[in-house]
Amino acid sequence: MTDFFECRGGRWWYRHGVSLTEARLAAGACQGFVPDDEDEQVDDVPLSCVNCAWRRWEQGSFQCLYLKRLHPDNSL
Amino acid sequence: MPEYLIAIDDTDDIGTRGTGDIAQQLGQILAIDCGGVASPVTRHQLLVHPDIPYTSHNSAMCFALKGDISPQRLKQLASELLEAESAAAADPGLAFMCLSSFTSNAALVEFGLAAKRRVLTKDEAYGLAADIGVHLSEHGGTGQGVIGALAGLGLRLEGNDGRLKGHFDVGQGDDELSLPVSVLLAQTGVDAVIALDDTELADEVPVRVRGKLKAVWRQGRSAILVSFRDGAWRNAGKQELKEY
């Protein structure tokens, strides 16, 4: 799961812009996936990081607040 | 009968009720209180920017209410709900105005469009609201949600922004179902079925429906969005809807 994200400045940034392919793979490997409100989901495949309540949109991509919570000291 | 436009923003946090749910409930409460009718809720995406604090989405929710209710009563009921239902970490804002007597559409629309392009401030929001006679109030936290709430009104007024909250069940389930436009309109109560280029489909045109059937806000009305794929008109997927 962390292969799809990069930790910078204490935040876990998705490495692949808004690509759905990797977002689905990442969510499939994640223990923390929580489906967001249906109106906020943007992938027709339900299990996808872009449909997760822990996803926080940023310009051109998103960060994962679940990983931030899981690794508060930025370590793996 | 008066008609109000009402918008809220920044009521939720991760793991709490969404702002859309609260907006829908507010519409029901107001409609019951005054014997009126609340419209569907529209969701309006605002600018995502490092200087804008938000939980996950930065989207405002807006709906219309036709009903004989005073602004004071509307504010009271909305305030009670926002303060009871908003997440502890949220910064809720409420905006509304009476459409029947409102004459400053252009300024409000411009504010809404600006909120999709640049970072706006609470001072700008309060200044505009005072100038044009829109109610604006904050209901917890920093109250930063007043910016999005005011923008939500403007974007709904503009008429070409946002998706309707929720989705429609016309019997499609996981299987594909072919229905003519006329039946889709009758079963959903939506105003039109339109293609991605805004072309309106005629009543007799068949549409293949599968999965989540959702509507957008186009030309000041609700519309089911479809695209021509694999030789047939099909309801838009989430990626196509994302642009709205």
Side-chain angles (χ1 to χ4, degrees):
Chain A
M1 158 65 170
T2 52
D3 294 348
F4 299 98
F5 291 84
E6 174 185 9
C7 185
R8 280 186 280 116
R11 296 180 178 189
W12 291 83
W13 301 86
Y14 182 56
R15 295 178 190 269
H16 306 281
V18 290
S19 169
L20 298 181
T21 306
E22 290 83 0
R24 294 166 186 172
L25 292 170
C30 178
Q31 300 297 309
F33 178 83
V34 177
D36 201 354
D37 186 302
E38 193 273 327
D39 289 296
E40 301 292 350
Q41 296 184 17
V42 295
D43 190 347
D44 289 306
V45 174
L47 189 60
S48 173
C49 284
V50 295
N51 289 344
C52 179
W54 292 105
R55 166 269 291 117
R56 186 185 193 278
W57 290 113
E58 304 290 349
Q59 288 176 309
S61 189
F62 62 91
Q63 56 167 301
C64 174
L65 300 184
Y66 175 71
L67 283 175
K68 186 180 178 184
R69 192 184 72 157
L70 204 61
H71 306 291
D73 58 355
N74 306 336
S75 62
L76 293 177
Chain B
M1 184 178 288
E3 182 173 11
Y4 290 90
L5 209 54
I6 301 154
I8 61 174
D9 185 33
D10 208 335
T11 68
D12 61 356
D13 194 5
I14 293 167
T16 70
R17 281 186 77 192
T19 303
D21 278 355
I22 296 175
Q24 198 165 43
Q25 186 183 358
L26 177 57
Q28 291 164 350
I29 288 169
L30 294 171
I32 290 167
D33 187 75
C34 68
V37 179
S39 77
V41 172
T42 48
R43 173 200 181 278
H44 302 277
Q45 181 66 54
L46 308 175
L47 179 68
V48 169
H49 188 280
D51 293 340
I52 300 175
Y54 61 93
T55 49
S56 182
H57 324 109
N58 203 26
S59 56
M61 301 286 171
C62 185
F63 64 96
L65 175 79
K66 282 184 184 172
D68 196 6
I69 187 170
S70 70
Q72 295 78 15
R73 178 68 174 160
L74 195 161
K75 184 192 174 188
Q76 178 200 338
L77 292 171
S79 301
E80 287 171 0
L81 183 70
L82 287 176
E83 284 156 30
E85 294 294 334
S86 295
D91 306 308
L94 165 71
F96 68 83
M97 85 291 198
C98 185
L99 275 171
S100 323
S101 55
F102 191 69
T103 57
S104 301
N105 284 23
L108 191 50
V109 165
E110 177 50 39
F111 186 89
L113 294 172
K116 294 176 80 76
R117 294 191 307 260
R118 64 182 178 89
V119 179
L120 299 170
T121 66
K122 274 172 63 173
D123 285 348
E124 287 175 284
Y126 278 119
L128 177 63
D131 285 348
I132 64 178
V134 171
H135 168 87
L136 199 57
S137 55
E138 44 193 86
H139 298 272
T142 66
Q144 191 81 9
V146 293
I147 301 166
L150 190 64
L153 294 182
L155 291 167
R156 173 85 172 220
L157 268 182
E158 194 271 338
N160 288 293
D161 186 87
R163 307 190 291 262
L164 269 66
K165 173 178 164 44
H167 50 90
F168 301 101
D169 181 2
V170 293
Q172 72 272 32
D174 289 330
D175 301 322
E176 194 170 72
L177 184 68
S178 182
L179 294 170
V181 164
S182 58
V183 172
L184 269 182
L185 298 181
Q187 290 196 14
T188 61
V190 165
D191 298 316
V193 175
I194 61 168
L196 299 179
D197 65 358
D198 278 347
T199 304
E200 189 170 339
L201 273 65
D203 279 356
E204 66 277 6
V205 174
V207 176
R208 296 189 186 179
V209 179
R210 173 181 279 171
K212 295 283 194 299
L213 179 63
K214 296 181 73 74
V216 296
W217 190 245
R218 299 295 287 172
Q219 299 163 2
R221 60 186 180 164
S222 57
I224 289 169
L225 190 68
V226 296
S227 58
F228 199 78
R229 310 190 300 275
D230 303 325
W233 289 106
R234 301 171 192 273
N235 59 303
K238 282 188 159 66
Q239 278 295 288
E240 291 165 316
L241 289 158
K242 187 177 176 226
E243 304 307 314
Y244 291 80

